Amino acid sequence: MPIKPLPLRKEIAYAAGMMGWSIMTNLIIVMLPYFYLPPNNSGLYPLVPQLLVFGAFNILSLIAASGRLFDALYDPFIASVSDASNHPKGRRIPIMKYAIVPAVIFCALVFYPLVKGESITNAWWLTFVLAGFFISVTTYIIPYNALLAELTHSADQKVRLSTYQQVGFVLGMILAALCNNYADLIQQFFPLTERAEALQYTIWGLSIFSGLVMILPIIFINEKEYTNAKPTHIALLPAIRNTFRNSNFKYYLISDFSYYIALSIISSGLLFFVTVLLGLPDSDGGKFMGIMVLLSLVFYPFINYGAKRFGKKPLVLLAFGVLSLIFVTIFFLGKLPFSPTMQMIILVCCASFPLAALGILPNAILADIAQKDTEETGENHEGMFFAVKYLFVKLGQTLGIAIFAMLTVYGKDPGHDYGLRLNGVVGFVLCVLALLFFSRFKENKPANQQPLN
């Protein structure tokens, strides 16, 4: 049967899946350090001891890393299962549907410690529920992203669907970042005295909403109508090795890994930067995140045009350069000759372009890499490329949380904030590394693209 082009309404349904995944993932990134090791002006109380292991790593950073250890082993496995699936309804969507309910439950349970106060028991519980959460969302996102390469049949289609996907991602970021604002409303209308309890109700609501929108691609997209991919016959370990033989993929992967560490540092530190470095209320964190994301939407048409006109690589390099300067600014937050609100407005305005460019283009670039590899090898293992990518994305996110949590040892409270400022230095170095590695990426431009003069 001929393969149908994916209509707009189904492209939107596809993007909705990313929004649900983004809400839950960003809840973990943004709220986990703030909930378990809050600053002393937050109205919350610490839930895990601030103990150092090997003189440098605190417990929260080790928990974040251990939760992803299970995920790291699971990523290639679920990709291999998806790539090799002979399910009559497709290789991807039948697997995705089993992940949604566990992801919702584990996301909420992350914020339900067993003990109200500092306790090693909470550390063990958090390790368990984080592992469950990461494995659940991996079962969804690996097949989901592999669909991007299979549902699109031209470079323009890849950029367009990746753009819609990124809209879903940034909307998820906004909804997650507004968590404290929703908690304010709950405390305003319901008789809750504890801030932690208001946040828990909020996170349950956001998790359930995430699950509902993650169902939309499963309901509205008949995978067999829009893809012609066939099951791959390469075993798991050879399939992983094949991805690393692609030199372009290696440069892409290293730069993407550095970027996600840096992005996770910003996301984990947002509420600390707002409340500690600038002395603003925590509810402003979500407002500034919303402004940044909405401004990033303005750049989407220009990025789509620029990708067609000049190629994707120059825009990615420019975005890494701008992001490196943003991290320099973070180091000086609260000391610049502007009001605290103006400092944050300047920061989020500058961050909107890299957020847009680095949200849209990398997935489209990886879909190009996977498609070219399929043409050269005759094997459809797009899932493995995305599995390796998302393994490093999640390792990067975890390492970002771990770095941020580790640096809080050197100061995370008003008047004692040097640890928060050090995140600016680390982020700057990471973005420069990403820029240098991606500069070696070789982009194959279609004939209608013009080189930069």
Side-chain angles (χ1 to χ4, degrees):
M1 293 179 61
I3 301 302
K4 299 179 181 179
L6 197 66
L8 176 62
R9 67 182 182 279
K10 294 184 184 293
E11 291 179 331
I12 294 172
Y14 177 80
M18 175 58 76
M19 182 173 74
W21 178 85
S22 174
I23 291 170
M24 287 196 281
T25 302
N26 280 291
L27 276 175
I28 299 298
I29 294 172
V30 173
M31 295 303 301
L32 183 66
Y34 192 76
F35 192 84
Y36 276 85
L37 283 177
N40 57 18
N41 61 342
S42 65
L44 300 170
Y45 40 83
L47 296 169
V48 293
Q50 184 75 298
L51 301 175
L52 290 183
V53 180
F54 305 122
F57 304 101
N58 61 6
I59 287 179
L60 188 60
S61 65
L62 292 176
I63 291 170
S66 64
R68 280 282 162 87
L69 174 61
F70 298 101
D71 202 18
L73 299 173
Y74 184 70
D75 265 40
F77 167 75
I78 196 63
S80 179
V81 170
S82 179
D83 280 346
S85 174
N86 284 300
H87 196 285
K89 293 187 177 180
R91 297 195 295 167
R92 314 301 183 187
I93 287 177
I95 294 174
M96 291 161 53
K97 67 182 181 181
Y98 291 110
I100 296 173
V101 172
V104 169
I105 293 172
F106 278 114
C107 183
L109 289 180
V110 165
F111 299 93
Y112 274 81
L114 298 180
V115 178
K116 290 187 175 182
E118 286 190 20
S119 172
I120 293 295
T121 302
N122 289 338
W124 286 111
W125 169 250
L126 185 57
T127 301
F128 168 73
V129 292
L130 275 179
F133 171 75
F134 291 141
I135 288 172
S136 301
V137 293
T138 291
T139 304
Y140 185 91
I141 201 64
I142 296 299
Y144 171 87
N145 276 298
L147 271 175
L148 179 66
E150 298 170 358
L151 293 172
T152 55
H153 308 291
S154 71
D156 287 351
Q157 282 181 320
K158 286 181 177 61
V159 172
R160 186 177 69 247
L161 189 57
S162 185
T163 300
Y164 294 148
Q165 187 186 51
Q166 177 61 10
V167 171
F169 178 79
V170 297
L171 289 176
M173 286 182 67
I174 293 176
L175 291 172
L178 290 172
C179 184
N180 277 293
N181 302 74
Y182 306 139
D184 287 343
L185 291 175
I186 288 175
Q187 285 192 291
Q188 182 178 345
F189 292 104
F190 297 95
L192 299 176
T193 56
E194 288 195 14
R195 183 65 173 179
E197 191 177 2
L199 287 171
Q200 287 169 336
Y201 282 121
T202 300
I203 289 165
W204 262 118
L206 287 171
S207 299
I208 292 169
F209 175 75
S210 301
L212 293 175
V213 295
M214 287 166 72
I215 294 172
L216 296 181
I218 297 167
I219 294 174
F220 290 105
I221 298 176
N222 183 339
E223 185 178 336
K224 286 291 190 177
E225 289 185 10
Y226 303 102
T227 69
N228 60 2
K230 298 177 177 60
T232 183
H233 302 290
I234 299 179
L236 175 58
L237 292 179
I240 295 174
R241 286 197 297 267
N242 282 351
T243 64
F244 283 102
R245 289 195 185 106
N246 189 314
S247 60
N248 248 4
F249 180 61
K250 284 188 282 190
Y251 294 132
Y252 168 93
L253 193 64
I254 295 170
S255 61
D256 204 49
F257 178 59
S258 299
Y259 163 65
Y260 273 97
I261 298 173
L263 182 63
S264 184
I265 288 173
I266 286 182
S267 299
S268 298
L270 176 66
L271 294 174
F272 289 84
F273 302 150
V274 169
T275 59
V276 177
L277 299 185
L278 295 173
L280 298 171
D282 57 14
S283 58
D284 280 2
K287 296 174 185 176
F288 288 124
M289 179 71 82
I291 292 171
M292 180 176 67
V293 171
L294 292 175
L295 285 175
S296 74
L297 297 177
V298 175
F299 287 99
Y300 282 22
F302 298 100
I303 289 168
N304 275 268
Y305 170 78
K308 295 177 184 177
R309 179 74 170 81
F310 305 113
K312 305 177 188 75
K313 178 179 175 178
L315 295 175
V316 172
L317 292 176
L318 178 61
F320 282 140
V322 173
L323 196 59
S324 67
L325 297 178
I326 289 169
F327 273 101
V328 174
T329 305
I330 288 175
F331 184 83
F332 295 102
L333 275 182
K335 299 181 179 181
L336 299 173
F338 310 105
S339 68
T341 300
M342 182 57 64
Q343 289 180 56
M344 277 303 295
I345 289 175
I346 293 171
L347 192 69
V348 299
C349 287
C350 293
S352 57
F353 167 72
L355 177 64
L358 296 172
I360 293 172
L361 298 176
N363 271 0
I365 291 170
L366 184 54
D368 288 339
I369 293 172
Q371 186 177 49
K372 189 170 186 289
D373 184 84
T374 298
E375 292 168 358
E376 292 174 350
T377 65
E379 291 286 348
N380 296 104
H381 47 263
E382 295 91 347
M384 192 57 66
F385 277 98
F386 279 94
V388 175
K389 173 212 163 74
Y390 272 86
L391 165 61
F392 278 81
V393 166
K394 289 179 285 186
L395 288 175
Q397 290 173 336
T398 301
L399 189 55
I401 295 174
I403 290 171
F404 178 82
M406 182 177 67
L407 291 177
T408 59
V409 172
Y410 304 101
K412 64 175 179 60
D413 299 308
H416 182 51
D417 57 21
Y418 187 63
L420 298 180
R421 297 186 186 279
L422 283 177
N423 285 282
V425 177
V426 174
F428 170 78
V429 173
L430 288 166
C431 290
V432 171
L433 286 174
L435 189 153
L436 292 175
F437 275 101
F438 199 75
S439 67
R440 303 195 67 180
F441 178 87
K442 294 179 181 178
E443 181 177 13
N444 292 318
K445 297 181 182 179
N448 64 339
Q449 287 182 352
Q450 303 295 324
L452 289 170
N453 296 319

PDB file of all heavy atoms in Angstrom, residues 55-82:
ATOM      1  N   GLY A  55      34.283  13.195  49.629  1.00  0.00           N
ATOM      2  CA  GLY A  55      34.681  14.583  49.803  1.00  0.00           C
ATOM      3  C   GLY A  55      34.129  15.552  48.791  1.00  0.00           C
ATOM      4  O   GLY A  55      34.394  16.750  48.857  1.00  0.00           O
ATOM      5  N   ALA A  56      33.301  15.083  47.812  1.00  0.00           N
ATOM      6  CA  ALA A  56      32.830  15.991  46.772  1.00  0.00           C
ATOM      7  C   ALA A  56      31.355  15.803  46.427  1.00  0.00           C
ATOM      8  O   ALA A  56      30.669  16.777  46.108  1.00  0.00           O
ATOM      9  CB  ALA A  56      33.670  15.808  45.503  1.00  0.00           C
ATOM     10  N   PHE A  57      30.836  14.573  46.475  1.00  0.00           N
ATOM     11  CA  PHE A  57      29.487  14.288  45.990  1.00  0.00           C
ATOM     12  C   PHE A  57      28.516  14.217  47.166  1.00  0.00           C
ATOM     13  O   PHE A  57      28.735  13.467  48.112  1.00  0.00           O
ATOM     14  CB  PHE A  57      29.460  12.955  45.233  1.00  0.00           C
ATOM     15  CG  PHE A  57      30.432  12.897  44.097  1.00  0.00           C
ATOM     16  CD1 PHE A  57      31.640  12.242  44.231  1.00  0.00           C
ATOM     17  CD2 PHE A  57      30.138  13.512  42.895  1.00  0.00           C
ATOM     18  CE1 PHE A  57      32.545  12.189  43.190  1.00  0.00           C
ATOM     19  CE2 PHE A  57      31.027  13.464  41.846  1.00  0.00           C
ATOM     20  CZ  PHE A  57      32.238  12.809  41.983  1.00  0.00           C
ATOM     21  N   ASN A  58      27.435  14.998  47.083  1.00  0.00           N
ATOM     22  CA  ASN A  58      26.431  14.874  48.127  1.00  0.00           C
ATOM     23  C   ASN A  58      25.432  13.780  47.758  1.00  0.00           C
ATOM     24  O   ASN A  58      25.424  13.259  46.631  1.00  0.00           O
ATOM     25  CB  ASN A  58      25.732  16.211  48.409  1.00  0.00           C
ATOM     26  CG  ASN A  58      25.006  16.767  47.204  1.00  0.00           C
ATOM     27  OD1 ASN A  58      24.910  16.116  46.170  1.00  0.00           O
ATOM     28  ND2 ASN A  58      24.493  17.970  47.326  1.00  0.00           N
ATOM     29  N   ILE A  59      24.572  13.418  48.694  1.00  0.00           N
ATOM     30  CA  ILE A  59      23.697  12.265  48.504  1.00  0.00           C
ATOM     31  C   ILE A  59      22.749  12.473  47.323  1.00  0.00           C
ATOM     32  O   ILE A  59      22.516  11.552  46.531  1.00  0.00           O
ATOM     33  CB  ILE A  59      22.913  11.984  49.797  1.00  0.00           C
ATOM     34  CG1 ILE A  59      23.848  11.384  50.854  1.00  0.00           C
ATOM     35  CG2 ILE A  59      21.751  11.035  49.544  1.00  0.00           C
ATOM     36  CD1 ILE A  59      23.183  11.094  52.175  1.00  0.00           C
ATOM     37  N   LEU A  60      22.209  13.686  47.177  1.00  0.00           N
ATOM     38  CA  LEU A  60      21.241  13.916  46.106  1.00  0.00           C
ATOM     39  C   LEU A  60      21.881  13.714  44.733  1.00  0.00           C
ATOM     40  O   LEU A  60      21.250  13.171  43.819  1.00  0.00           O
ATOM     41  CB  LEU A  60      20.646  15.323  46.215  1.00  0.00           C
ATOM     42  CG  LEU A  60      19.481  15.611  45.269  1.00  0.00           C
ATOM     43  CD1 LEU A  60      18.320  14.637  45.523  1.00  0.00           C
ATOM     44  CD2 LEU A  60      19.012  17.049  45.398  1.00  0.00           C
ATOM     45  N   SER A  61      23.123  14.157  44.566  1.00  0.00           N
ATOM     46  CA  SER A  61      23.785  13.972  43.272  1.00  0.00           C
ATOM     47  C   SER A  61      23.995  12.493  42.973  1.00  0.00           C
ATOM     48  O   SER A  61      23.847  12.047  41.831  1.00  0.00           O
ATOM     49  CB  SER A  61      25.126  14.721  43.248  1.00  0.00           C
ATOM     50  OG  SER A  61      26.037  14.183  44.182  1.00  0.00           O
ATOM     51  N   LEU A  62      24.316  11.688  43.990  1.00  0.00           N
ATOM     52  CA  LEU A  62      24.499  10.253  43.789  1.00  0.00           C
ATOM     53  C   LEU A  62      23.176   9.549  43.505  1.00  0.00           C
ATOM     54  O   LEU A  62      23.117   8.615  42.697  1.00  0.00           O
ATOM     55  CB  LEU A  62      25.162   9.635  45.024  1.00  0.00           C
ATOM     56  CG  LEU A  62      26.612  10.061  45.281  1.00  0.00           C
ATOM     57  CD1 LEU A  62      27.113   9.456  46.588  1.00  0.00           C
ATOM     58  CD2 LEU A  62      27.517   9.624  44.128  1.00  0.00           C
ATOM     59  N   ILE A  63      22.102  10.001  44.139  1.00  0.00           N
ATOM     60  CA  ILE A  63      20.786   9.415  43.879  1.00  0.00           C
ATOM     61  C   ILE A  63      20.381   9.658  42.428  1.00  0.00           C
ATOM     62  O   ILE A  63      19.892   8.753  41.733  1.00  0.00           O
ATOM     63  CB  ILE A  63      19.733  10.006  44.835  1.00  0.00           C
ATOM     64  CG1 ILE A  63      19.984   9.534  46.261  1.00  0.00           C
ATOM     65  CG2 ILE A  63      18.323   9.612  44.393  1.00  0.00           C
ATOM     66  CD1 ILE A  63      19.148  10.263  47.292  1.00  0.00           C
ATOM     67  N   ALA A  64      20.549  10.895  41.961  1.00  0.00           N
ATOM     68  CA  ALA A  64      20.198  11.215  40.577  1.00  0.00           C
ATOM     69  C   ALA A  64      20.972  10.343  39.604  1.00  0.00           C
ATOM     70  O   ALA A  64      20.434   9.847  38.613  1.00  0.00           O
ATOM     71  CB  ALA A  64      20.462  12.694  40.304  1.00  0.00           C
ATOM     72  N   ALA A  65      22.247  10.136  39.894  1.00  0.00           N
ATOM     73  CA  ALA A  65      23.081   9.315  39.008  1.00  0.00           C
ATOM     74  C   ALA A  65      22.670   7.849  39.061  1.00  0.00           C
ATOM     75  O   ALA A  65      22.602   7.170  38.026  1.00  0.00           O
ATOM     76  CB  ALA A  65      24.548   9.467  39.401  1.00  0.00           C
ATOM     77  N   SER A  66      22.361   7.335  40.254  1.00  0.00           N
ATOM     78  CA  SER A  66      22.012   5.918  40.363  1.00  0.00           C
ATOM     79  C   SER A  66      20.678   5.615  39.697  1.00  0.00           C
ATOM     80  O   SER A  66      20.494   4.547  39.106  1.00  0.00           O
ATOM     81  CB  SER A  66      21.968   5.506  41.842  1.00  0.00           C
ATOM     82  OG  SER A  66      20.955   6.198  42.536  1.00  0.00           O
ATOM     83  N   GLY A  67      19.728   6.562  39.772  1.00  0.00           N
ATOM     84  CA  GLY A  67      18.448   6.356  39.105  1.00  0.00           C
ATOM     85  C   GLY A  67      18.608   6.181  37.614  1.00  0.00           C
ATOM     86  O   GLY A  67      17.930   5.364  36.979  1.00  0.00           O
ATOM     87  N   ARG A  68      19.528   6.921  37.045  1.00  0.00           N
ATOM     88  CA  ARG A  68      19.766   6.826  35.615  1.00  0.00           C
ATOM     89  C   ARG A  68      20.636   5.627  35.242  1.00  0.00           C
ATOM     90  O   ARG A  68      20.735   5.281  34.064  1.00  0.00           O
ATOM     91  CB  ARG A  68      20.410   8.123  35.124  1.00  0.00           C
ATOM     92  CG  ARG A  68      19.366   9.238  34.917  1.00  0.00           C
ATOM     93  CD  ARG A  68      18.617   9.017  33.611  1.00  0.00           C
ATOM     94  NE  ARG A  68      17.372   9.749  33.545  1.00  0.00           N
ATOM     95  CZ  ARG A  68      17.246  10.995  33.120  1.00  0.00           C
ATOM     96  NH1 ARG A  68      18.308  11.672  32.763  1.00  0.00           N
ATOM     97  NH2 ARG A  68      16.072  11.560  33.058  1.00  0.00           N
ATOM     98  N   LEU A  69      21.299   5.009  36.200  1.00  0.00           N
ATOM     99  CA  LEU A  69      22.104   3.828  35.891  1.00  0.00           C
ATOM    100  C   LEU A  69      21.217   2.716  35.326  1.00  0.00           C
ATOM    101  O   LEU A  69      21.548   2.086  34.317  1.00  0.00           O
ATOM    102  CB  LEU A  69      22.816   3.332  37.148  1.00  0.00           C
ATOM    103  CG  LEU A  69      23.590   2.019  37.008  1.00  0.00           C
ATOM    104  CD1 LEU A  69      24.696   2.167  35.971  1.00  0.00           C
ATOM    105  CD2 LEU A  69      24.178   1.596  38.353  1.00  0.00           C
ATOM    106  N   PHE A  70      20.057   2.494  35.956  1.00  0.00           N
ATOM    107  CA  PHE A  70      19.114   1.500  35.437  1.00  0.00           C
ATOM    108  C   PHE A  70      18.644   1.900  34.042  1.00  0.00           C
ATOM    109  O   PHE A  70      18.517   1.062  33.141  1.00  0.00           O
ATOM    110  CB  PHE A  70      17.916   1.384  36.384  1.00  0.00           C
ATOM    111  CG  PHE A  70      18.274   0.923  37.761  1.00  0.00           C
ATOM    112  CD1 PHE A  70      18.376   1.824  38.803  1.00  0.00           C
ATOM    113  CD2 PHE A  70      18.509  -0.422  38.017  1.00  0.00           C
ATOM    114  CE1 PHE A  70      18.699   1.402  40.088  1.00  0.00           C
ATOM    115  CE2 PHE A  70      18.833  -0.859  39.299  1.00  0.00           C
ATOM    116  CZ  PHE A  70      18.934   0.055  40.329  1.00  0.00           C
ATOM    117  N   ASP A  71      18.384   3.173  33.885  1.00  0.00           N
ATOM    118  CA  ASP A  71      17.917   3.695  32.608  1.00  0.00           C
ATOM    119  C   ASP A  71      18.964   3.485  31.517  1.00  0.00           C
ATOM    120  O   ASP A  71      18.643   3.146  30.373  1.00  0.00           O
ATOM    121  CB  ASP A  71      17.618   5.190  32.773  1.00  0.00           C
ATOM    122  CG  ASP A  71      16.667   5.700  31.717  1.00  0.00           C
ATOM    123  OD1 ASP A  71      15.988   4.879  31.083  1.00  0.00           O
ATOM    124  OD2 ASP A  71      16.610   6.916  31.529  1.00  0.00           O
ATOM    125  N   ALA A  72      20.233   3.697  31.866  1.00  0.00           N
ATOM    126  CA  ALA A  72      21.318   3.564  30.885  1.00  0.00           C
ATOM    127  C   ALA A  72      21.386   2.141  30.336  1.00  0.00           C
ATOM    128  O   ALA A  72      21.638   1.933  29.144  1.00  0.00           O
ATOM    129  CB  ALA A  72      22.650   3.944  31.535  1.00  0.00           C
ATOM    130  N   LEU A  73      21.149   1.163  31.195  1.00  0.00           N
ATOM    131  CA  LEU A  73      21.174  -0.228  30.756  1.00  0.00           C
ATOM    132  C   LEU A  73      19.924  -0.577  29.952  1.00  0.00           C
ATOM    133  O   LEU A  73      19.955  -1.466  29.092  1.00  0.00           O
ATOM    134  CB  LEU A  73      21.276  -1.149  31.970  1.00  0.00           C
ATOM    135  CG  LEU A  73      22.532  -0.960  32.838  1.00  0.00           C
ATOM    136  CD1 LEU A  73      22.434  -1.818  34.094  1.00  0.00           C
ATOM    137  CD2 LEU A  73      23.790  -1.312  32.046  1.00  0.00           C
ATOM    138  N   TYR A  74      18.844   0.127  30.228  1.00  0.00           N
ATOM    139  CA  TYR A  74      17.550  -0.197  29.622  1.00  0.00           C
ATOM    140  C   TYR A  74      17.360   0.448  28.251  1.00  0.00           C
ATOM    141  O   TYR A  74      16.659  -0.110  27.395  1.00  0.00           O
ATOM    142  CB  TYR A  74      16.456   0.253  30.585  1.00  0.00           C
ATOM    143  CG  TYR A  74      15.054  -0.081  30.165  1.00  0.00           C
ATOM    144  CD1 TYR A  74      14.600  -1.402  30.172  1.00  0.00           C
ATOM    145  CD2 TYR A  74      14.170   0.911  29.774  1.00  0.00           C
ATOM    146  CE1 TYR A  74      13.310  -1.716  29.796  1.00  0.00           C
ATOM    147  CE2 TYR A  74      12.872   0.606  29.403  1.00  0.00           C
ATOM    148  CZ  TYR A  74      12.444  -0.708  29.416  1.00  0.00           C
ATOM    149  OH  TYR A  74      11.162  -1.016  29.040  1.00  0.00           O
ATOM    150  N   ASP A  75      17.957   1.616  28.016  1.00  0.00           N
ATOM    151  CA  ASP A  75      17.772   2.366  26.762  1.00  0.00           C
ATOM    152  C   ASP A  75      18.029   1.516  25.519  1.00  0.00           C
ATOM    153  O   ASP A  75      17.147   1.409  24.653  1.00  0.00           O
ATOM    154  CB  ASP A  75      18.690   3.594  26.748  1.00  0.00           C
ATOM    155  CG  ASP A  75      17.983   4.842  27.227  1.00  0.00           C
ATOM    156  OD1 ASP A  75      17.203   4.733  28.182  1.00  0.00           O
ATOM    157  OD2 ASP A  75      18.211   5.902  26.630  1.00  0.00           O
ATOM    158  N   PRO A  76      19.230   0.932  25.366  1.00  0.00           N
ATOM    159  CA  PRO A  76      19.482   0.149  24.154  1.00  0.00           C
ATOM    160  C   PRO A  76      18.570  -1.068  24.041  1.00  0.00           C
ATOM    161  O   PRO A  76      18.222  -1.481  22.934  1.00  0.00           O
ATOM    162  CB  PRO A  76      20.952  -0.272  24.308  1.00  0.00           C
ATOM    163  CG  PRO A  76      21.531   0.680  25.295  1.00  0.00           C
ATOM    164  CD  PRO A  76      20.415   1.015  26.226  1.00  0.00           C
ATOM    165  N   PHE A  77      18.186  -1.625  25.190  1.00  0.00           N
ATOM    166  CA  PHE A  77      17.313  -2.798  25.154  1.00  0.00           C
ATOM    167  C   PHE A  77      15.962  -2.455  24.537  1.00  0.00           C
ATOM    168  O   PHE A  77      15.478  -3.153  23.636  1.00  0.00           O
ATOM    169  CB  PHE A  77      17.130  -3.354  26.567  1.00  0.00           C
ATOM    170  CG  PHE A  77      16.020  -4.360  26.674  1.00  0.00           C
ATOM    171  CD1 PHE A  77      16.186  -5.649  26.178  1.00  0.00           C
ATOM    172  CD2 PHE A  77      14.801  -4.013  27.244  1.00  0.00           C
ATOM    173  CE1 PHE A  77      15.159  -6.581  26.258  1.00  0.00           C
ATOM    174  CE2 PHE A  77      13.774  -4.934  27.320  1.00  0.00           C
ATOM    175  CZ  PHE A  77      13.945  -6.217  26.826  1.00  0.00           C
ATOM    176  N   ILE A  78      15.323  -1.375  25.018  1.00  0.00           N
ATOM    177  CA  ILE A  78      13.997  -1.034  24.493  1.00  0.00           C
ATOM    178  C   ILE A  78      14.096  -0.598  23.039  1.00  0.00           C
ATOM    179  O   ILE A  78      13.182  -0.842  22.240  1.00  0.00           O
ATOM    180  CB  ILE A  78      13.313   0.045  25.374  1.00  0.00           C
ATOM    181  CG1 ILE A  78      11.813   0.103  25.080  1.00  0.00           C
ATOM    182  CG2 ILE A  78      13.936   1.411  25.175  1.00  0.00           C
ATOM    183  CD1 ILE A  78      11.063  -1.164  25.406  1.00  0.00           C
ATOM    184  N   ALA A  79      15.201   0.029  22.654  1.00  0.00           N
ATOM    185  CA  ALA A  79      15.388   0.400  21.247  1.00  0.00           C
ATOM    186  C   ALA A  79      15.498  -0.841  20.376  1.00  0.00           C
ATOM    187  O   ALA A  79      14.924  -0.909  19.289  1.00  0.00           O
ATOM    188  CB  ALA A  79      16.642   1.253  21.095  1.00  0.00           C
ATOM    189  N   SER A  80      16.247  -1.830  20.850  1.00  0.00           N
ATOM    190  CA  SER A  80      16.408  -3.068  20.098  1.00  0.00           C
ATOM    191  C   SER A  80      15.080  -3.805  19.961  1.00  0.00           C
ATOM    192  O   SER A  80      14.738  -4.308  18.886  1.00  0.00           O
ATOM    193  CB  SER A  80      17.435  -3.969  20.796  1.00  0.00           C
ATOM    194  OG  SER A  80      17.604  -5.179  20.100  1.00  0.00           O
ATOM    195  N   VAL A  81      14.293  -3.854  21.053  1.00  0.00           N
ATOM    196  CA  VAL A  81      12.978  -4.487  21.003  1.00  0.00           C
ATOM    197  C   VAL A  81      12.075  -3.775  20.003  1.00  0.00           C
ATOM    198  O   VAL A  81      11.362  -4.409  19.206  1.00  0.00           O
ATOM    199  CB  VAL A  81      12.340  -4.493  22.408  1.00  0.00           C
ATOM    200  CG1 VAL A  81      10.873  -4.918  22.349  1.00  0.00           C
ATOM    201  CG2 VAL A  81      13.111  -5.408  23.340  1.00  0.00           C
ATOM    202  N   SER A  82      12.108  -2.434  20.029  1.00  0.00           N
ATOM    203  CA  SER A  82      11.271  -1.654  19.117  1.00  0.00           C
ATOM    204  C   SER A  82      11.710  -1.828  17.666  1.00  0.00           C
ATOM    205  O   SER A  82      10.881  -2.038  16.771  1.00  0.00           O
ATOM    206  CB  SER A  82      11.329  -0.178  19.522  1.00  0.00           C
ATOM    207  OG  SER A  82      10.549   0.613  18.661  1.00  0.00           O
TER     208      SER A  82
END
